[in-house]
Amino acid sequence: MNIRKELLNELLQECKTPPDLFGEGGILKQLTTALVERALEAELSNHLGYGKHEPRPEGQTNSRNGYSQKKVQGDFGVAEIAVPRDRSGEFEPHLVKKGQSRLSGLDEKIIALYARGMSVRDIQAQLQEMYGVEVSPTLISNVTDAVIDEVKQWQNRPLDAVYPIVFLDCLVIKVRDNGRVINKSLYFALAVNMDGYKELLGMWISPNEGAKFWLSVLTEIHNRGIKDILIACVDGLTGFPNAIETVFPKTQVQLCIVHMVRNSVAFVPWQQRKQVCADLKAIYSAATESEAEFNLELFAEKWDKQYPSISKSWRSHWANIIPFFAFSTEIRRAIYTTNAIESMNSSLRKVIKSQQIFPTDEAAFKLVYLAMRNISKKWTMPIRDWKPALNRFAILFEDRLHF
């Protein structure tokens, strides 16, 4: 709908400052109030079957019965609106339902701010500063708690039968439990689906990371429809490959190269980290397993005196590193360059950092789910060079792919 410029000029001619537009008595509040009241009048006319000031149709017993005043909260602050009534009490407004105290828009803003890791106090201050709206901690909690039903539906949704790549990882968070603050593990299963898009399959919380809990996670996603995973990228947790083999016996377990590199340089000073990473790259980017072994020996000769644990770690995990060298360049690139779980974790850490300690598991789950909803909005394109990788998957796993 186009509004005449002359009408806009007339409406705005007395507006000299932001409060004239958005303040307590500003034009936005007045226009919103008028629009809501007019819409409610139209709803009642539709309910009764005749308009205001029109004669009542023959046989129609119900009619208008004045107004009730109602306060609603919106982006503009608090407004008092006149809600029309009918004599039979059957009228149920859709725009502002009975019991509703907030107009659409405010809830979305609260959820958006919460999803970015803002505290309740920060959300209150932000809404007060930007819109002049005062909201209570209880209101913020109620609005964000409404997401829990959505979370449950998402967590139990059916999954595809086959996923070419699944990354399995966890983050450590602090949660208050029976008066104590303890560390808990937040588990993630991030997949690349047949179309090359990233998809978070689910999230779970447990007191600590362990192969036994991962077994329950894998069993759950199997029950939700997954029949096969071609490649599972995992960290070096003891017993992890066995847990995967129990549920998905054909799955190729690949130790996550990004995890290996990250763990290797954890205690390397910044001034040497770049060189260590370059020498590690010579290992995992080798064309063949024998070349990788040779480069690992060169790495050990160069760095063992300073950092002996690095080559030792690579050798102890070698059985789950070497599958990488049997894959084509296209599949390697898909596994390595699309290790979105590290990128995802980095974004989540920024959100979690603002909370520091979660009051409950549910509070942690709620915040991380909302943060993930924001993060996944960027997953709008297939991963880079997915078609060549999929063609290689089709050759390598021809009897297991279902198009």
Side-chain angles (χ1 to χ4, degrees), residues 11-247:
L11 289 170
L12 298 174
Q13 64 181 350
E14 298 300 327
C15 297
K16 308 297 183 185
T17 64
D20 293 336
L21 286 170
F22 308 110
E24 179 61 28
I27 191 171
L28 176 62
K29 180 176 178 178
Q30 295 179 54
L31 285 173
T32 304
T33 302
L35 178 62
V36 169
E37 290 180 343
R38 181 168 293 193
L40 291 173
E41 286 285 0
E43 282 194 46
L44 181 58
S45 294
N46 183 67
H47 173 74
L48 294 174
Y50 67 98
K52 193 175 184 180
H53 306 306
E54 292 180 359
R56 185 165 54 185
E58 187 176 348
Q60 170 64 277
T61 58
N62 199 3
S63 63
R64 286 174 167 76
N65 187 32
Y67 300 87
S68 59
Q69 297 302 119
K70 181 173 187 173
K71 290 183 178 180
V72 292
Q73 206 167 26
D75 299 346
F76 47 77
V78 178
E80 189 166 310
I81 60 173
V83 181
R85 300 177 302 197
D86 64 331
R87 291 196 177 277
S88 65
E90 298 172 349
F91 177 51
E92 291 279 355
H94 293 287
L95 181 61
V96 183
K97 296 180 174 62
K98 289 183 178 180
Q100 181 180 340
S101 60
R102 301 183 303 279
L103 292 180
S104 177
L106 182 62
D107 288 10
E108 286 78 1
K109 284 184 172 59
I110 291 174
I111 289 174
L113 294 173
Y114 187 86
R116 284 166 174 77
M118 293 183 68
S119 66
V120 170
R121 183 175 297 177
D122 289 339
I123 293 173
Q124 288 178 293
Q126 183 89 343
L127 293 175
Q128 177 65 45
E129 181 180 341
M130 293 184 66
Y131 307 108
V133 177
E134 292 185 9
V135 295
S136 67
T138 302
L139 171 60
I140 294 173
S141 180
N142 289 340
V143 168
T144 55
D145 282 349
V147 177
I148 294 300
D149 289 339
E150 180 183 333
V151 174
K152 291 177 180 177
Q153 291 180 7
W154 172 81
Q155 186 73 19
N156 291 292
R157 74 194 188 282
L159 300 173
D160 295 344
V162 180
Y163 286 92
I165 307 172
V166 174
F167 299 93
L168 302 167
D169 197 14
C170 75
L171 285 177
V172 176
I173 57 175
K174 294 187 180 296
V175 181
R176 198 173 299 280
D177 191 298
N178 293 323
R180 298 184 303 118
V181 175
I182 63 173
N183 288 336
K184 290 195 175 184
S185 294
L186 187 60
Y187 294 70
F188 299 97
L190 178 67
V192 177
N193 63 27
M194 292 291 290
D195 295 319
Y197 289 89
K198 301 166 196 170
E199 178 186 343
L200 188 64
L201 306 180
M203 305 186 302
W204 302 263
I205 293 180
S206 174
N208 47 58
E209 184 181 16
K212 185 177 180 180
F213 189 82
W214 272 119
L215 178 61
S216 69
V217 168
L218 293 162
T219 302
E220 180 184 316
I221 63 175
H222 180 269
N223 292 339
R224 287 166 57 196
I226 300 181
K227 303 306 177 188
D228 197 4
I229 296 170
L230 303 185
I231 300 172
C233 295
V234 304
D235 60 18
L237 180 69
T238 302
F240 210 159
N242 292 336
I244 295 171
E245 185 179 356
T246 300
V247 184

Side-chain angles (χ1 to χ4, degrees), residues 313-333:
S313 174
W314 282 72
R315 287 190 178 104
S316 65
H317 291 104
W318 197 245
N320 286 321
I321 293 175
I322 57 176
F324 194 73
F325 303 108
F327 299 137
S328 66
T329 303
E330 293 84 357
I331 293 179
R332 286 200 205 185
R333 189 180 298 120

